[in-house]
Amino acid sequence: MGRTYAVIAEMRGNHVRQVTWEALGAVAQMAKVEDRVIVLVIGHAIGEAVDALSLPGIHMIVVADNDRYQYYEAETYFAAARTFVDQEEPDIVLLGHTAMGREMAPMLASHLQSSQISDITSIEEYQGGFGFQRPIYAGKAFETKRFTQAAKCWVLTIRPNNFPPVGQSGALLPGAMTVPERRFLPEPPPTLRSIVRGVVTKMSGSIDLTEAKIIVSGGRGVKSADGFKPLQQLALVLNGAVGATRGACDAGYCDYALQIGQTGKVVTPEVYFACGISGSIQHLAGMNQSRVIVAINTDPGAPIFEVADYGIVGDLFEIVPLLTAEFRKLLS
């Protein structure tokens, strides 16, 4: 008998977040033909999201659709997830390593009296099972962890932008033909200690920093809030997001929602533009796993150049507009 893989989908409004497709991609790396794959979708008015997730190779989609699920709230969502895992008894549960996943995963692991491995960046076969690689020491090193045979259920969170997402029109597993059946969870229990009435979202644009493929980030070298305007133009041309260092946020140049680093968001984009950023250890911890790092700084001795793939010594207010103009020509 095969294993049961359970993915807890994450939503933004009525749409499935990219990290959910990546979690399914992680399942595709591990699952075999005899295994069973199920997905829990929690939200309100999520019919389109459920349709999008109805891929061949997924055996069942469990839907928790209620106006109480409109906004994420730990107690409410955990009530749904707890019912889900109790009924389906999965062997492996996967979530995104996001604000929601970091809160939900340990709650589920505790409920299941099982183990958890967080912030996974890759999966490899290991002694007939799997080894899960994750960064440690602020990204300076990696460790590979695995579960013992005594583990009742594996709870995993995966770092966004590290696993190839499952195609939204293809099959999850090779040769899979059937579409999933659907089952609905009952309404959430009424005895809740907190209720979310609304959510105010602060973002650098229409793209979430943690999911952006391209990030244009600024530090104290932008000198003012207006100094972010050239960066915003470059990000707009490249369909990317704007980020910032803690120093830029502390100086009042931008909102803390843009902060990248050890005390901010951890990002792994394909391309990271570091503009006017010196390269403190705290900031590097949040972006040093980017695939390509382009540093722009007037100081040739700035630590950022030690981790950059490409370095430009110069004034960002001259270089960034030139890059924007050239990219605009290339992409037009």
Side-chain angles (χ1 to χ4, degrees):
M1 184 176 178
R3 290 170 166 162
T4 296
Y5 291 83
V7 173
I8 299 181
E10 188 163 342
M11 308 289 294
R12 175 172 290 113
N14 297 330
H15 302 286
V16 181
R17 287 192 64 175
Q18 179 71 9
V19 70
T20 298
W21 301 110
E22 294 166 4
L24 289 169
V27 170
Q29 291 185 18
M30 297 185 286
K32 299 178 181 179
V33 175
E34 65 270 19
D35 292 335
R36 182 168 173 258
V37 182
I38 56 179
V39 178
L40 171 64
V41 189
I42 309 173
H44 179 54
I46 52 177
E48 290 185 9
V50 174
D51 290 340
L53 286 165
S54 297
L55 303 177
I58 295 178
H59 297 79
M60 177 186 292
I61 295 180
V62 179
V63 182
D65 191 338
N66 190 279
D67 58 1
R68 298 264 290 284
Y69 296 129
Q70 182 174 1
Y71 304 114
Y72 171 71
E73 194 279 319
E75 186 182 7
T76 315
Y77 273 51
F78 175 64
R82 180 179 56 202
T83 301
F84 169 71
V85 297
D86 287 347
Q87 292 180 353
E88 301 301 328
E89 299 183 343
D91 299 289
I92 302 173
V93 180
L94 294 93
L95 304 91
H97 192 70
T98 60
M100 170 182 151
R102 290 195 297 268
E103 187 169 31
M104 289 278 289
M107 296 170 72
L108 284 170
S110 176
H111 172 70
L112 293 166
Q113 297 183 344
S114 189
S115 305
Q116 174 188 345
I117 299 177
S118 301
D119 202 15
I120 296 167
T121 56
S122 66
I123 300 172
E124 58 187 39
E125 293 188 7
Y126 185 83
Q127 297 182 357
F130 296 103
F132 302 95
Q133 189 178 85
R134 61 187 299 273
I136 56 175
Y137 302 126
K140 295 184 180 65
F142 290 86
E143 66 175 359
T144 299
K145 304 185 76 173
R146 63 188 182 94
F147 291 94
T148 65
Q149 294 182 350
K152 178 181 178 182
C153 175
W154 303 356
V155 180
L156 309 172
T157 66
I158 66 162
R159 179 179 288 197
N161 283 343
N162 278 268
F163 290 89
V166 165
Q168 298 179 21
S169 58
L172 176 68
L173 300 176
M177 298 296 292
T178 58
V179 295
E181 62 174 299
R182 298 183 185 180
R183 188 168 63 78
F184 293 85
L185 288 183
E187 293 186 7
T191 55
L192 299 175
R193 290 171 289 188
S194 60
I195 297 175
V196 178
R197 298 294 186 187
V199 175
V200 177
T201 303
K202 293 183 178 180
M203 297 172 57
S204 59
S206 59
I207 303 173
D208 190 317
L209 269 175
T210 58
E211 296 181 351
K213 301 296 183 183
I214 297 175
I215 295 176
V216 184
S217 196
R220 287 187 181 273
V222 301
K223 300 179 181 179
S224 67
D226 287 340
F228 270 93
K229 290 181 180 179
L231 279 60
Q232 293 165 352
Q233 288 299 314
L234 179 57
L236 182 63
V237 169
L238 296 175
N239 193 31
V242 175
T245 65
R246 178 172 180 173
C249 297
D250 287 345
Y253 301 162
C254 59
D255 193 273
Y256 282 99
L258 277 61
Q259 183 182 335
I260 294 169
Q262 196 166 26
T263 55
K265 293 181 172 69
V266 175
V267 298
T268 50
E270 293 180 2
V271 183
Y272 187 90
F273 289 91
C275 306
I277 294 173
S278 63
S280 69
I281 293 174
Q282 289 79 8
H283 183 71
L284 295 180
M287 47 66 69
N288 63 0
Q289 298 304 311
S290 303
R291 287 171 175 79
V292 177
I293 299 172
V294 181
I296 304 170
N297 202 297
T298 55
D299 178 9
I304 190 68
F305 288 120
E306 297 178 9
V307 299
D309 298 283
Y310 300 93
I312 304 174
V313 178
D315 187 347
L316 72 90
F317 296 107
E318 296 176 3
I319 295 168
V320 172
L322 289 174
L323 289 174
T324 302
E326 291 300 317
F327 280 123
R328 188 176 283 118
K329 290 177 185 177
L330 289 171
L331 299 173
S332 61

